[in-house]
Amino acid sequence: MNQPAARRDPIEDLRRIAFLLERTLESSYRVRAFRTAAAALAALPREDVTLLASTGGLRTIKGIGDRTAAVVEQSVAGEEPEYLATLEASSGGPLSGGGEELRAALRGDLHLHSDWSDGGSPIEEMARTATELGHEYAALTDHSPRLTVANGLTPARLRRELDVVRAVNIAVAPFRLLTGIEVDVLSDGSLDQEPGLLEELDVVVASVHSELRMPADAMTRRMLAAVENRHTDVLGHCTGRYVVDREFLRGRSGQTRSGKARPESQFDAERVFAACAEHGVAVEVNSRPERLDPPLRLLRLAVESGCLFAIDTDAHAPGQLDWQPLGCARAVECGVPAERVVNTWPLDDLLAWTRDHAHRPS
Ligand SMILES: [Zn+2]
Ligand SMILES: [Zn+2]
């Protein structure tokens, strides 16, 4: 009866709960309790955690409350925590049908954020989760200075972030965390970071975040300038739209995001995609469920235009790194060939391409 239970790792159980909540687009705020508790326990010897769990002392630790203590107690007792079991049942399954083969071919993700800009988790946690999802590489692409609402990085902060990335890479090897940026495309089409720094980064995602309603001809000129900029590797979420994906959000409790719907920016997509094809810039398939950008008709146009693609999550929390199936299903629906998706390429080819956009895997 009283035989030792199969050992579970309470820290992994807390991380899994956070991951599943984030994957369903739960706000980082609601997930924080679980990530904070995991970090608090990680700082203690395992024996102390076991002892505290068996004596009811967990709640005396800063960062652990009633709900997280219950999870740890069940986990230490060798049981799957009830809260985790409920979440696995409601939201542990596949996010979308279709695109499984393409998802399996992906080796990395080229668009994600950490708590250095507006993400919810530290750089290393993002990298570790990307590793656990089977990735070989991922590019850290925090925001640029003018995007102050997203705590965009000044040149000085970006340089400091690069030091952190170097340290994280030692901890997560052989996984490779690439340096990068999601750089704002300013209204005149220039990029919001020092050219010298852009030159140094592995991956530059250029995105429009402001003045989304500018007239089509001005927006076209702005986007063309960004695509023609030799630092740009990926054109991020090209229309800037927000949709409400009812299918994805079904079953979620709490707030509705219907207030966030936003129409597409107007621009000459034929010209912009032709420029992407000419300059070897990848069109991003943004997998965020409230973006799903580009819309299918534009994704088909980009395929016809001969563009390269990057299927990215734009994750702002570790669990959101699991959103690629949403983008893959859409890419397959629109006939995107896997060999034109740059993040199916081996790391060496990917880096050769970011240095010289004419490079293709042999
Ligand atoms: Zn963006
Ligand atoms: Zn982003």
Side-chain angles (χ1 to χ4, degrees):
M1 289 299 291
N2 216 359
Q3 55 182 281
R7 247 165 104 85
R8 293 185 72 92
D9 183 342
I11 296 173
E12 285 311 310
D13 282 340
L14 289 165
R15 287 181 75 229
R16 177 71 183 166
I17 289 170
F19 177 91
L20 289 171
L21 287 170
E22 288 158 353
R23 192 172 178 263
T24 55
L25 200 53
E26 197 53 85
S27 72
S28 286
Y29 175 76
R30 291 205 50 194
V31 181
R32 190 160 301 150
F34 297 98
R35 294 221 171 264
T36 304
L41 292 190
L44 296 174
R46 170 70 197 231
E47 310 81 67
D48 291 8
V49 175
T50 309
L51 185 68
L52 286 166
S54 56
T55 56
L58 285 169
R59 289 163 186 79
T60 62
I61 298 173
K62 187 170 163 11
I64 299 193
D66 282 334
R67 202 162 42 151
T68 48
V71 167
V72 176
E73 284 159 1
Q74 291 162 25
S75 184
V76 166
E79 301 155 18
E80 181 177 30
E82 268 171 61
Y83 189 68
L84 175 56
T86 310
L87 266 180
E88 291 281 9
S90 65
S91 38
L95 292 174
S96 70
E100 291 83 1
E101 219 172 298
L102 182 54
R103 169 61 188 91
L106 295 181
R107 296 169 188 261
D109 191 335
L110 303 185
H111 186 167
L112 60 97
H113 301 272
S114 74
D115 58 7
W116 278 63
S117 64
D118 60 345
S121 280
I123 295 169
E124 185 165 341
E125 185 70 27
M126 296 300 286
R128 288 201 182 281
T129 304
T131 313
E132 288 160 7
L133 286 168
H135 287 320
E136 296 168 24
Y137 55 80
L140 176 65
T141 55
D142 276 316
H143 289 288
S144 64
R146 303 264 186 115
L147 209 59
T148 48
V149 289
N151 196 20
L153 275 62
T154 60
R157 282 185 69 222
L158 178 53
R159 286 196 188 90
R160 285 213 302 280
E161 183 179 59
L162 298 184
D163 292 335
V164 174
V165 171
R166 263 186 287 277
V168 166
N169 268 312
I170 294 167
V172 299
F175 176 85
R176 174 79 178 271
L177 185 64
L178 303 170
T179 60
I181 187 172
E182 180 180 18
V183 66
D184 247 43
V185 177
L186 301 174
S187 30
D188 64 354
S190 59
L191 303 183
D192 180 30
Q193 189 48 279
E194 293 175 359
L197 260 170
L198 294 176
E199 178 72 41
E200 204 181 305
L201 300 172
D202 295 319
V203 177
V204 173
V205 178
S207 308
V208 170
H209 291 112
S210 61
E211 293 179 75
L212 292 156
R213 303 271 73 79
M214 63 164 46
D217 54 344
M219 183 62 95
T220 303
R221 280 197 300 277
R222 178 183 184 183
M223 293 174 76
L224 286 174
V227 169
E228 286 161 7
N229 189 307
R230 61 183 208 83
H231 296 301
T232 300
D233 301 310
V234 178
L235 177 64
H237 49 67
C238 63
T239 78
R241 71 170 184 173
Y242 277 149
V243 294
V244 179
D245 186 337
R246 298 189 185 286
E247 188 66 26
F248 182 77
L249 299 174
R250 191 172 45 195
R252 279 186 69 238
S253 57
Q255 83 279 29
T256 143
R257 301 177 74 90
S258 56
K260 289 190 73 183
R262 187 164 74 193
E264 299 168 22
S265 296
Q266 298 302 307
F267 60 95
D268 186 337
E270 246 168 80
R271 286 184 64 197
V272 170
F273 292 154
C276 287
E278 182 190 340
H279 295 276
V281 167
V283 172
E284 177 181 76
V285 178
N286 188 295
S287 304
R288 289 192 68 84
E290 82 278 41
R291 282 197 184 270
L292 298 173
D293 204 359
L296 298 176
R297 68 172 205 294
L298 292 185
L299 189 47
R300 288 194 184 94
L301 178 63
V303 173
E304 285 164 27
S305 306
C307 296
L308 295 172
F309 297 90
I311 301 176
D312 296 333
T313 60
D314 196 356
H316 285 67
Q320 299 178 2
L321 288 165
D322 201 20
W323 281 346
Q324 275 170 326
L326 299 169
C328 288
R330 296 168 66 77
V332 167
E333 190 178 341
C334 295
V336 172
E339 63 273 16
R340 274 207 251 154
V341 178
V342 296
N343 49 327
T344 64
W345 298 353
L347 178 61
D348 288 349
D349 284 309
L350 181 88
L351 290 176
W353 163 73
T354 64
R355 282 190 298 269
D356 170 9
H357 287 165
H359 176 87
R360 298 292 177 271
S362 47

